[in-house]
Amino acid sequence: MDIKELRKNYLKQRSELEKEFLAGRNSSLFLTRHSTLLDELIQTVSRPSLEELNFTIIAIGGYGRQEMLPHSDVDLLVVHNSPDSAKVHKIVTSLITSLWDLINDLGHQVWSIADLEKLDIKEHYEFVLALRDGRYITGDRKMASEVIDRIFPIIFKGEKEYFIDIVHSEIKKRHFLQKYTIFHLEPDIKESPGGLRDYLAAGWLEDLAGEPFFFKHSRAEVDAAHEFMIGLRILLHIISGRNNNKLTIDQQEKISFMVSPLEGGPRSQEEIRTAIETFMKRYYINARILNDRCKTMMEVSRPDKERVELEISDFGTLDNAVAVMNVFIKAGTDDARLSSALKKKITSLLPGMRNQENFPEIREALMGFFKPFPGMSTLLWDMYNLGFLELIFPEFSHIKARFCWDYYHRYTVDEHTILAIRNIEKLTLPANTVPGNGGKTGNSVDRRFASLLEESSGPVNITLALLFHDIGKGGGDDHSAVGARITEKALKRVGFSKEEREKISFLVLHHLSMSTVVFHRDHNDQKVLDEFADLVSDTETLRCLTLLTYADVKAVGPGTLNNWKKDQLWDVYVKTYRKLTLGYGSERIDEDDLGFDRNLIKGLPSAINKVEFEEFLEGFPLSYLRTKPKKIYKHFKLASRLNSDNPVQSSISRSNGLYELCVVTPDRRRLFARIAGMLSYFDMNIVKGYGFANSKDTVLDFFEFFDSNARFRFPRERRRFREMLHEVLTDRRSLRDMLRQKEASPLVLKMGQLEPVVYFEDEKEREVTLLEIISPDKPGLLYSIGSILSSCDCDIELLLINTEGEKAVDVFYIRHNNGILSENVKMKLRKQILEAL
């Protein structure tokens, strides 16, 4: 027996098998024939040894499954029943040495039957898992059957719970090292989530825990996904000439053209990109199937008994899209998951709904679900994996497993999209909570951006804009513009109003604008900042775009949004916010400004006198012209009604859960403080307040607030508030007495001890001073502070309110004699405010 000749023949035959595979791509045939080729070699080399000693050789691991790739490890188990250990060692060592000369990467274990029966599974659990695929090669067949058919099942099934724990542990460890995602730019097709290890682990768990009641994909789809992966791994081995499982960019280019070859000629960059993206989409779709099966088997084998599970019986008739949407809303509300039976029911309903083109009745349910909440992204993945998301928004299928061929994006477009929404979801968690860490504390939640989400009147706009922000990718044109058009059509189909569609489409259209300013422009350049402020035009849009940018950049890849980038983003937000708000105190409207705003004058209702309207606008801050024309016309009409008998006019409007109070009146003493005090008296949660006057001293004061107790849902309560407000502002009722009575009421909770803090900061460029006050919240707090500011002849340009539990954090932008405050005025204010608090 010439080992060199045997090896030469083996390599020649393996090369022929590789050529046949490249020609026909039949991976099953290649694996079977390659395994058979190795079997025959081992049988040939083992014959002399079998004449001296009774033993058996069993293939284990991948070789046992007949998944012998060109350069995979060959794992053998040698089992004997001889008491003569010296003889066993001598014969087996000689055999293995011969096999090493023949086969690269040969691994082996030698056991006696007696030792196998008393095997320490904790020390040798990997060996036991490999033995699951044991296959007889040569030697004593009865002995092999004893190991495979009797001893292994006793060990494996007898320690079922232990092996389930081990498999779970190994999966989690591997997924952690691979960043929990299948969507790597250069995936390891063996180790990555969705790779061949996931397929193998799912098989182990199915052996131990049984088949799942429900799995979205059929057994044939799972087998096809495995066939794709194993064929890809064979290709990688052949191309690399070694045991390589890393699908690098270079390998992707080679393999993509092997899968879909071009007809002659050089390949353009665009052809290369298209080929790679098409091929990688196939990879990710198949990887997702294997990863889903692995995760499903983890849930089946170790169900989360502490978490509520929704069943079909928890709902009425599930026969339409709204009913299904409400399942996900309830799961979010109850922090529950969907049972397998419920998931199966939902997938069975989808074919009957697909003949519908429009779902206008689902708008309210979508609004309910897409308001950010803990666990939202997990349920969104369920919605997507079950096919329901694509039923409502078929446009989403366009970005399914879409691969971005660059070194910047880490994930496919669909996973990037849901990860971005997850970043918004994390901002809803309590401070210092680490998601998925059993409620343990940490520093993962950035409270600055969380505060923006809390202040936003349209959080649904943010998550829906993120859902669609990359929907236009892959079309070749500007994906932002394409995405905005797709968003408009999709939201119209599901019943969103024109105004709602415009807000969300605007965010999609401009979702890259802020990151461009932050990371690619000099945002210390006033012109750059002015252009960006003109684009967003109002503070709510600025909040939404800031959060969208935060979530989008953070979802590009781990560590992309580092602390420096967060600070840069926040800096642009603050500067733009001040531009949009503090502009009230500097540039004022004059006749020339009215000439360029043709839309405002052109759309003037016939009932409004043009000359009087222009006189009304003169002297207001220039930024007031950014207000929607309909609102400006309304403010003018309120001002037109002012007279000696009616010195106060007001209106209350509501949008996306946030109320706005507008008060129009000639300038009067402590006006701002009294309005804030009245809102406090009615238990309104003020978010922001600001005011300004025109050249005729007509004052517009605005307050935005939440009605936490839903008092204003009753029209009579809104009328009562306005009547009392007018009485307070015209000195017919004492607000001070009203607040004192309220504070003395036993229904008012007494605050705990909190030392008040008063802090000043000058903005010399804007000629304004920021006054920040942190104190226990109490009725009349803003009225007290406002009265003190008024008594010191300070003008309030802007008021920002934030209440954290029982703590109030109020920021006033104030001026004294049209400029920043002197040190004497600051000392006086600090003393009076601290005494009042």
Side-chain angles (χ1 to χ4, degrees):
M1 180 179 61
D2 189 337
I3 294 295
K4 288 184 178 180
E5 191 64 28
L6 283 174
R7 178 170 172 78
K8 182 180 176 182
N9 289 335
Y10 160 66
L11 292 176
K12 180 182 177 182
Q13 291 179 70
R14 189 181 74 184
S15 177
E16 290 172 357
L17 290 177
E18 290 174 358
K19 289 175 184 176
E20 288 177 17
F21 173 78
L22 292 174
R25 299 290 158 71
N26 189 326
S27 54
S28 296
L29 183 62
F30 174 88
L31 295 173
T32 302
R33 291 179 65 182
H34 186 214
S35 296
T36 302
L37 182 60
L38 286 167
D39 290 354
E40 291 170 351
L41 284 173
I42 293 168
Q43 289 163 3
T44 300
V45 175
S46 303
R47 282 193 194 105
S49 301
L50 286 168
E51 292 174 0
E52 297 181 57
L53 179 71
N54 184 40
F55 64 91
T56 187
I57 297 179
I58 299 171
I60 58 176
Y63 182 30
R65 293 189 299 276
Q66 288 193 311
E67 287 185 1
M68 276 314 300
L69 285 87
H71 300 282
S72 285
D73 297 342
V74 176
D75 292 316
L76 299 178
L77 168 62
V78 178
V79 182
H80 66 91
N81 57 6
S82 172
D84 189 344
S85 57
K87 181 180 179 182
V88 170
H89 181 266
K90 178 184 176 183
I91 294 172
V92 172
T93 299
S94 174
L95 169 62
I96 295 300
T97 301
S98 298
L99 289 173
W100 278 341
D101 291 336
L102 179 62
I103 303 168
N104 293 336
D105 301 315
L106 177 73
H108 75 285
Q109 297 198 44
V110 182
W111 289 84
S112 69
I113 289 285
D115 286 339
L116 279 177
E117 289 184 319
K118 54 186 181 182
L119 180 75
D120 183 347
I121 61 168
K122 292 185 178 179
E123 188 178 345
H124 299 285
Y125 70 86
E126 289 179 322
F127 164 63
V128 176
L129 291 174
L131 191 54
R132 175 234 187 197
D133 298 304
R135 179 175 60 84
Y136 169 75
I137 296 179
T138 190
D140 190 328
R141 187 180 292 273
K142 186 177 179 183
M143 192 183 297
S145 179
E146 179 80 356
V147 173
I148 296 169
D149 300 329
R150 186 182 71 81
I151 296 176
F152 167 74
I154 292 174
I155 297 172
F156 193 55
K157 293 292 180 71
E159 297 290 343
K160 180 173 107 172
E161 297 303 318
Y162 172 76
F163 279 109
I164 288 175
D165 287 342
I166 282 293
V167 175
H168 273 250
S169 175
E170 291 298 308
I171 293 171
K172 289 174 182 176
K173 191 187 303 179
R174 180 167 47 80
H175 285 188
F176 169 77
L177 293 173
Q178 297 289 327
K179 308 298 183 185
Y180 298 105
T181 180
I182 66 175
F183 303 107
H184 290 286
L185 187 67
E186 297 183 322
D188 184 316
I189 64 170
K190 183 179 178 183
E191 301 293 337
S192 291
L196 290 164
R197 286 280 188 193
D198 269 8
Y199 177 82
L200 182 59
W204 288 334
L205 292 175
E206 190 171 317
D207 285 351
L208 293 163
E211 230 179 301
F213 175 77
F214 167 75
F215 182 58
K216 178 188 173 185
H217 301 284
S218 67
R219 180 70 67 178
E221 288 175 303
V222 173
D223 290 342
H226 176 252
E227 179 82 6
F228 174 87
M229 287 294 176
I230 202 76
L232 185 55
R233 193 176 175 210
I234 295 171
L235 269 178
L236 275 177
H237 278 220
I238 293 173
I239 292 171
S240 306
R242 60 186 176 86
N243 188 354
N244 171 47
N245 304 303
K246 187 88 168 180
L247 192 54
T248 64
I249 294 289
D250 289 341
Q251 304 286 28
Q252 289 169 28
E253 181 179 345
K254 290 177 185 175
I255 293 174
S256 63
F257 283 100
M258 291 173 74
V259 172
S260 302
L262 286 177
E263 294 295 331
R267 300 163 184 165
S268 69
Q269 194 71 5
E270 188 57 37
E271 287 172 330
I272 293 171
R273 177 186 294 274
T274 301
I276 290 177
E277 289 183 355
T278 302
F279 164 67
M280 289 305 292
K281 181 170 184 174
R282 283 184 63 195
Y283 168 82
Y284 290 125
I285 288 173
N286 284 292
R288 182 175 287 167
I289 291 172
L290 298 186
N291 184 236
D292 284 349
R293 180 169 180 260
C294 183
K295 290 192 291 188
T296 299
M297 287 313 309
M298 289 179 76
E299 290 174 6
V300 169
S301 56
R302 277 286 177 270
D304 184 355
K305 295 179 181 177
E306 294 182 5
R307 190 136 181 234
V308 177
E309 196 170 72
L310 298 180
E311 298 289 353
I312 298 173
S313 58
D314 293 323
F315 303 92
T317 306
L318 290 174
D319 59 354
N320 60 72
V322 176
V324 174
M325 195 72 230
N326 285 330
V327 170
F328 291 99
I329 292 174
K330 182 172 175 57
T333 303
D334 296 352
D335 188 25
R337 63 180 183 178
L338 280 59
S339 70
S340 295
L342 186 54
K343 288 180 180 179
K344 190 173 185 178
K345 175 70 174 176
I346 290 171
T347 54
S348 70
L349 293 170
L350 299 186
M353 298 180 195
R354 286 204 172 94
N355 57 0
Q356 290 182 253
E357 292 183 2
N358 302 310
F359 295 92
E361 69 284 353
I362 206 171
R363 174 203 166 274
E364 188 175 345
L366 288 170
M367 292 287 285
F369 179 81
F370 279 96
K371 184 176 181 181
F373 61 89
M376 176 185 187
S377 58
T378 300
L379 289 170
L380 192 59
W381 266 117
D382 282 346
M383 195 184 294
Y384 181 37
N385 286 331
L386 292 173
F388 184 66
L389 182 63
E390 289 176 73
L391 175 79
I392 304 302
F393 296 122
E395 298 84 357
F396 207 74
S397 61
H398 175 68
I399 60 170
K400 187 172 187 176
R402 180 165 288 280
F403 174 69
C404 295
W405 193 63
D406 57 44
Y407 284 93
Y408 182 60
H409 287 84
R410 183 71 177 267
Y411 309 110
T412 55
V413 180
D414 51 356
E415 186 177 34
H416 162 78
T417 295
I418 296 180
L419 283 175
I421 292 174
R422 183 167 180 257
N423 290 332
I424 294 296
E425 171 199 323
K426 287 180 181 178
L427 297 179
T428 67
L429 297 169
N432 297 324
T433 299
V434 178
N437 197 30
K440 295 178 182 177
T441 58
N443 298 310
S444 63
V445 177
D446 196 317
R447 299 312 300 168
R448 293 176 298 179
F449 296 97
S451 69
L452 292 189
L453 187 62
E454 291 164 5
E455 293 169 12
S456 173
S457 60
V460 173
N461 294 346
I462 300 166
T463 49
L464 282 174
L466 283 170
L467 185 72
F468 287 102
H469 79 287
D470 278 346
I471 204 81
K473 280 197 169 178
D477 298 323
D478 176 6
H479 82 273
S480 299
V482 173
R485 293 194 293 270
I486 292 172
T487 303
E488 162 68 26
K489 291 179 182 177
L491 294 179
K492 185 176 182 179
R493 195 178 62 247
V494 293
F496 279 68
S497 69
K498 187 173 185 290
E499 183 181 3
E500 291 168 337
R501 300 196 306 268
E502 285 176 351
K503 288 179 179 177
I504 297 169
S505 296
F506 177 89
L507 293 174
V508 173
L509 178 63
H510 297 289
H511 75 270
L512 296 176
S513 298
M514 192 168 188
S515 61
T516 299
V517 172
V518 175
F519 306 121
H520 305 289
R521 299 287 185 274
D522 178 9
H523 50 81
N524 291 313
D525 184 334
Q526 195 59 46
K527 185 180 178 183
V528 170
L529 212 60
D530 287 347
E531 289 176 352
F532 181 62
D534 287 340
L535 173 70
V536 295
S537 79
D538 63 78
T539 54
E540 174 56 23
T541 303
L542 174 63
R543 269 191 291 267
C544 290
L545 200 54
T546 303
L547 287 168
L548 191 150
T549 305
Y550 166 87
D552 186 20
V553 176
K554 193 174 182 182
V556 166
T560 303
L561 189 66
N562 55 32
N563 288 334
W564 179 84
K565 288 182 179 178
K566 285 182 191 176
D567 289 342
Q568 294 297 302
L569 176 59
W570 187 256
D571 185 48
V572 171
Y573 165 75
V574 171
K575 287 176 179 175
T576 309
Y577 189 92
R578 289 176 180 172
K579 176 69 181 174
L580 291 171
T581 54
L582 296 185
Y584 293 147
S586 50
E587 304 164 283
R588 298 285 171 171
I589 299 172
D590 58 27
E591 289 183 41
D592 294 335
D593 296 316
L594 295 174
F596 72 74
D597 204 332
R598 295 175 182 174
N599 290 332
L600 183 63
I601 301 302
K602 185 179 178 182
L604 201 64
S606 57
I608 294 179
N609 181 283
K610 181 174 178 290
V611 175
E612 292 177 358
F613 180 69
E614 289 179 346
E615 289 176 352
F616 164 75
L617 291 175
E618 283 185 31
F620 282 140
L622 193 59
S623 54
Y624 179 55
L625 294 178
R626 296 194 189 105
T627 307
K628 289 186 177 180
K630 285 184 179 180
K631 280 194 172 185
I632 296 178
Y633 303 149
K634 183 179 180 181
H635 300 158
F636 171 76
K637 289 177 181 177
L638 290 173
S640 300
R641 297 183 195 138
L642 295 174
N643 55 47
S644 56
D645 294 327
N646 296 291
V648 178
Q649 293 292 322
S650 65
S651 69
I652 297 175
S653 58
R654 186 172 186 263
S655 177
N656 294 322
L658 191 70
Y659 283 91
E660 181 185 81
L661 168 67
C662 173
V663 178
V664 185
T665 179
D667 200 6
R668 58 188 61 239
R669 186 169 173 269
R670 298 185 180 178
L671 173 62
F672 202 88
R674 294 188 193 191
I675 301 171
M678 273 301 298
L679 288 167
S680 175
Y681 180 78
F682 272 74
D683 298 318
M684 299 300 159
N685 183 13
I686 302 172
V687 175
K688 183 174 70 174
Y690 55 97
F692 37 77
N694 64 10
S695 54
K696 292 186 175 182
D697 279 338
T698 298
V699 175
L700 294 182
D701 276 338
F702 299 93
F703 283 83
E704 295 177 4
F705 58 92
F706 288 106
D707 180 8
S708 303
N709 298 321
R711 292 179 67 169
F712 277 11
R713 73 179 185 275
F714 302 110
R716 65 177 182 274
E717 196 68 3
R718 291 198 296 272
R719 286 195 299 270
R720 177 170 166 262
F721 169 81
R722 291 175 60 203
E723 288 168 2
M724 292 176 68
L725 174 65
H726 291 198
E727 290 174 358
V728 165
L729 295 183
T730 54
D731 296 320
R732 289 178 287 156
R733 184 187 286 261
S734 171
L735 177 60
R736 190 182 298 276
D737 291 343
M738 292 163 56
L739 291 171
R740 280 175 181 166
Q741 291 173 9
K742 185 178 182 69
E743 191 169 1
S745 169
L747 297 177
V748 176
L749 293 173
K750 302 304 178 184
M751 300 299 105
Q753 292 299 313
L754 173 66
E755 196 68 28
V757 175
V758 177
Y759 171 76
F760 293 96
E761 180 183 339
D762 293 330
E763 285 285 337
K764 293 182 180 179
E765 184 182 344
R766 301 287 186 180
E767 297 183 333
V768 68
T769 296
L770 277 67
L771 164 62
E772 182 174 25
I773 301 170
I774 304 172
S775 73
D777 194 20
K778 66 175 183 176
L781 174 65
L782 293 176
Y783 173 68
S784 299
I785 298 169
S787 297
I788 292 168
L789 292 172
S790 179
S791 69
C792 293
D793 296 323
C794 292
D795 297 318
I796 302 171
E797 295 289 340
L798 177 69
L799 167 63
L800 302 176
I801 309 296
N802 184 24
T803 303
E804 301 173 358
E806 298 175 352
K807 181 176 70 174
V809 182
D810 303 331
V811 180
F812 295 80
Y813 291 75
I814 55 179
R815 284 187 172 87
H816 183 258
N817 294 331
N818 292 320
I820 62 175
L821 276 60
S822 67
E823 291 304 314
N824 287 337
V825 173
K826 290 177 184 176
M827 288 175 62
K828 184 179 178 181
L829 281 175
R830 180 181 278 109
K831 183 174 183 295
Q832 291 188 26
I833 290 170
L834 289 174
E835 286 175 355
L837 294 176

